[in-house]
Amino acid sequence: MFEKLTPGQEIESTVVQISGDTVFIDLNAKSEGVISAAEFLDENGNMKIKEGDKIKAIFTGEIRGEMKFTTRIAGEDADDSMLENAFKNQLTVEGNVKGEIKGGFEVLIGNKRAFCPFSQMGGREKEESAAYIGRTLPFVITEYKEGGKNLIVSNRAVLETERKEHIVTLSKKVTEGAVVSGTVKSLQSFGAFVDVDGFQVLLPISEISHQRVQDISSVLKVGQEITAKVISADWKRERVSISTKAMEKDPWDSVLENHKAGEKFDGQISRIADFGLFIQVEAGIDGLLHASTLEGVDKNTNLKKKFSVGQTMSVVIKEIDAKAKRISLLPATSVEQDNSAESYLSHQDSSETYNPFAALLKK
């Protein structure tokens, strides 16, 4: 049970209810304090607390019988005692950015002027200085001197604290194997950065699809919504990787049903390596045509000059190792050549076949 409270006094209490735009905290068996729920929303509008959580709050006064509290001191409530208390307990205060001055910004907190260095304004993603002017932002007081006449504040410290709290929350649900939804933020040659609940994760280009992706912009667009599986989550280093490929059916699971050793087909070269050519067997599956099996090729041959990606090759499947996801290929006559030969033989007139005895009788 709390004794008589005075404005500016900080207490620790338990959240007993979250209803609409109000959070109720326990004061005693018959009384509750109220706090604006907006103070507990993250940058995406999600509630950061739940019933039963312990929180620290500052008593701002009694209005029409309601005991009002806050977790951050608004400018109009910021008297000297509250600012000093905020400094000692590193509580959040709200300030209005009045303008840019040498080395930083002038910030008005109540009737007090404070200084915020450039380095302490904004989070990791910096904006232009003009973007902050005129805005009311949260700060912590890092220096309180001369009875509050000399104040230095930091907006970045508030954002970093919120970010760390958000990371802790995310780390509990964005775990290896979890399925997440996100928005593509940027495209790079090595993959795409995707925003998942305010945190950027990497979608490597090799994890986009079972089919080889040459141009990432042909399959993804900035702003596109995607669903993917988390394949690695290192929250100590704040590195998370996801895969949309993991959401697809693996074509290797049915490779033995669709293909057999001895099968002949015409396929396109999907990749050229020093040791041979990779030929597409089907979407998402390539087979290797080793350089040692190629006619007119020796150890000094530059395969990238002799062959080109997209070129069609006639091959036959030598061996399939589904477990290792490998298919060995051999060169073959083309399917077109085989069909032409078969057609010629089937239409060949037996009377046109050379018969030495028939030739003698014609003489």
Side-chain angles (χ1 to χ4, degrees):
M1 181 175 178
F2 297 102
E3 301 294 334
K4 182 175 176 62
L5 297 169
T6 57
Q9 181 178 344
E10 183 186 34
I11 67 167
E12 184 175 47
S13 184
T14 304
V15 176
V16 293
Q17 186 181 1
I18 301 173
S19 177
D21 58 0
T22 304
V23 172
F24 296 89
I25 60 173
D26 181 45
L27 298 183
N28 55 48
K30 297 181 180 179
S31 179
E32 294 175 345
V34 296
I35 307 174
S36 171
E39 296 188 23
F40 301 99
L41 299 178
D42 62 20
E43 59 186 13
N44 297 312
N46 300 313
M47 182 62 64
K48 297 187 292 184
I49 60 169
K50 62 183 183 301
E51 293 179 7
D53 283 357
K54 292 279 188 181
I55 63 169
K56 289 183 178 181
I58 305 162
F59 179 57
T60 59
E62 184 177 349
I63 302 176
R64 294 187 293 274
E66 282 190 333
M67 304 291 279
K68 297 282 190 177
F69 288 82
T70 183
T71 56
R72 57 178 60 174
I73 301 171
E76 60 270 18
D77 299 324
D79 59 24
D80 289 346
S81 62
M82 292 187 77
L83 289 179
E84 186 174 7
N85 182 56
F87 167 65
K88 290 178 179 179
N89 295 285
Q90 286 297 281
L91 304 175
T92 303
V93 299
E94 289 185 345
N96 183 262
V97 183
K98 302 303 292 183
E100 184 178 345
I101 57 178
K102 185 178 180 180
F105 299 89
E106 181 184 34
V107 180
L108 190 63
I109 304 173
N111 61 356
K112 295 285 187 181
R113 295 189 180 278
F115 173 69
C116 179
F118 285 128
S119 63
Q120 295 304 308
M121 183 66 80
R124 298 192 176 190
E125 295 183 6
K126 293 293 185 181
E127 298 183 60
E128 294 294 328
S129 296
Y132 299 107
I133 297 173
R135 293 167 61 185
T136 297
L137 301 171
F139 298 88
V140 290
I141 301 172
T142 56
E143 287 190 27
Y144 182 92
K145 296 179 179 179
E146 301 175 28
K149 293 180 181 178
N150 188 355
L151 298 177
I152 298 179
V153 296
S154 171
N155 168 251
R156 181 172 184 175
V158 177
L159 299 180
E160 279 298 309
T161 298
E162 292 178 348
R163 184 177 181 278
K164 287 178 182 178
E165 292 173 351
H166 186 51
I167 291 295
V168 170
T169 301
L170 276 181
S171 66
K172 294 177 181 177
K173 63 178 184 178
V174 181
T175 56
E176 191 169 326
V179 175
V180 297
S181 297
T183 305
V184 178
K185 299 296 288 185
S186 66
L187 302 178
Q188 309 295 332
S189 60
F190 52 84
F193 284 103
V194 180
D195 184 281
V196 176
D197 282 346
F199 182 82
Q200 289 201 14
V201 303
L202 176 64
L203 171 59
I205 192 169
S206 60
E207 290 297 330
I208 293 176
S209 173
H210 283 97
Q211 297 187 50
R212 185 172 297 278
V213 175
Q214 300 289 347
D215 178 12
I216 192 170
S217 63
S218 66
V219 292
L220 290 175
K221 304 295 180 187
V222 172
Q224 182 178 338
E225 298 288 330
I226 65 167
T227 300
K229 182 175 287 188
V230 179
I231 54 174
S232 68
D234 184 349
W235 285 107
K236 287 184 178 180
R237 300 170 64 195
E238 294 186 13
R239 293 184 180 179
V240 177
S241 296
I242 59 175
S243 170
T244 48
K245 181 171 76 174
M247 304 295 290
E248 301 174 346
K249 181 181 178 182
D250 190 343
W252 284 96
D253 292 343
S254 55
V255 66
L256 292 177
E257 298 173 16
N258 300 331
H259 304 284
K260 297 287 186 290
E263 176 186 337
K264 185 186 293 185
F265 65 94
D266 291 343
Q268 290 188 334
I269 298 175
S270 60
R271 184 160 56 98
I272 302 174
D274 293 338
F275 51 84
L277 310 175
F278 286 92
I279 312 294
Q280 186 179 61
V281 179
E282 65 171 81
I285 296 181
D286 291 343
L288 175 62
L289 186 59
H290 199 274
S292 62
T293 66
L294 296 170
E295 186 177 350
V297 169
D298 57 34
K299 63 180 181 179
N300 297 317
T301 302
N302 187 330
L303 296 181
K304 292 182 179 180
K305 290 185 177 180
K306 189 175 181 66
F307 302 94
S308 59
V309 172
Q311 180 180 338
T312 299
M313 299 283 291
S314 296
V315 293
V316 61
I317 296 177
K318 177 185 177 184
E319 184 181 7
I320 301 175
D321 186 342
K323 188 174 182 181
K325 295 187 175 182
R326 293 177 182 173
I327 293 180
S328 299
L329 304 173
L330 292 172
T333 54
S334 70
V335 174
E336 184 180 355
Q337 288 175 324
D338 288 349
N339 290 339
S340 296
E342 184 178 348
S343 175
Y344 173 78
L345 292 174
S346 62
H347 290 87
Q348 194 176 34
D349 189 337
S350 60
S351 64
E352 295 178 358
T353 304
Y354 177 71
N355 186 325
F357 298 104
L360 287 171
L361 292 174
K362 288 181 179 180
K363 289 183 177 181

